[in-house]
């Protein structure tokens, strides 16, 4: 494994742990009743956490792409997406399993679908990077090509 890919793997693990820490802290504070916000505002914040927070690694990757590049952009991006998916699965699935079987430190109320946000976040945290990075790179390439022409 090249050093570049090892460096990206370490960055992916750190980023996944940070994403999960933010998500779990928010869920804990909401479930314990420490954050009291209007229910419409809560749905907006929930939506942002579930779908916008997983976009952060893709944006950071695009800004710092040269740190993880060997010069072969398509190959690097494909390998980085595979690494990101593997790291996401290795971190997200045990966490969701702990929530699902009530072994998680954040007690889930026994109402229908409570705890499902962990599964949704696991999926969006993996898919956010894998879907957004190649799309944004394609758009960036298209815009640069148009400007140059």
């Amino acid at each position: 494994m090249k050093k570049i890919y090892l460096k990206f793997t370490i960055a992916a693990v750190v980023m996944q742990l940070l994403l999960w820490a933010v998500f779990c802290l928010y869920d804990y504070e909401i479930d314990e009743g420490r954050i009291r916000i209007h229910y419409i505002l809560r749905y907006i914040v929930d939506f942002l956490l579930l779908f916008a927070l997983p976009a952060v690694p893709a944006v950071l990757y695009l800004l710092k792409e040269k740190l993880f590049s060997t010069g072969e952009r398509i190959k690097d991006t494909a390998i980085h997406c595979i690494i990101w998916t593997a790291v996401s699965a290795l971190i997200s699935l045990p966490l969701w399993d702990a929530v699902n079987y009530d072994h998680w430190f954040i007690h889930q109320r026994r109402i229908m679908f409570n705890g499902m946000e962990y599964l949704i976040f696991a999926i969006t945290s993996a898919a956010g990077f894998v879907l957004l990075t190649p799309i944004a790179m394609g758009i960036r390439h298209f815009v640069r090509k148009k400007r140059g022409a």
Side-chain angles (χ1 to χ4, degrees):
M1 181 183 260
K2 292 184 179 180
K3 280 188 173 183
I4 295 288
Y5 300 136
L6 181 61
K7 188 172 19 172
F8 180 78
T9 303
I10 293 168
V13 168
V14 169
M15 184 56 74
Q16 276 287 332
L17 292 175
L18 287 173
L19 288 175
W20 275 103
V22 169
F23 180 77
C24 290
L25 180 65
Y26 172 75
D27 187 53
Y28 178 74
E29 296 297 323
I30 285 291
D31 284 350
E32 293 295 315
R34 293 186 179 141
I35 297 177
R36 298 184 188 276
I37 54 178
H38 193 270
Y39 71 94
I40 293 175
L41 183 60
R42 179 177 176 202
Y43 291 137
I44 292 170
V45 173
D46 287 348
F47 179 79
L48 288 174
L49 274 174
L50 286 174
F51 298 106
L53 186 63
V56 170
V59 172
L60 290 175
Y61 176 77
L62 291 171
L63 292 175
K64 302 293 183 184
E65 181 183 1
K66 291 182 182 177
L67 289 174
F68 307 111
S69 179
T70 61
E72 300 177 41
R73 181 172 284 166
I74 294 174
K75 178 184 170 189
D76 287 342
T77 304
I79 291 173
H80 291 154
C81 287
I82 291 167
I83 291 171
W84 182 263
T85 304
V87 168
S88 296
L90 290 173
I91 292 174
S92 301
L93 294 178
L95 289 175
W96 182 71
D97 193 48
V99 170
N100 195 31
Y101 290 105
D102 207 21
H103 297 293
W104 192 236
F105 71 94
I106 302 171
H107 179 69
Q108 301 296 312
R109 295 185 189 105
R110 287 288 158 216
I111 57 174
M112 191 174 193
F113 299 126
N114 199 15
M116 289 302 291
E117 67 270 16
Y118 285 85
L119 178 62
I120 294 169
F121 190 74
I123 293 168
T124 58
S125 68
F129 182 85
V130 172
L131 294 176
L132 293 177
T133 301
I135 291 170
M137 289 178 76
I139 292 170
R140 183 175 64 185
H141 177 73
F142 180 74
V143 168
R144 285 182 180 169
K145 194 172 183 179
K146 280 289 192 185
R147 280 190 195 159

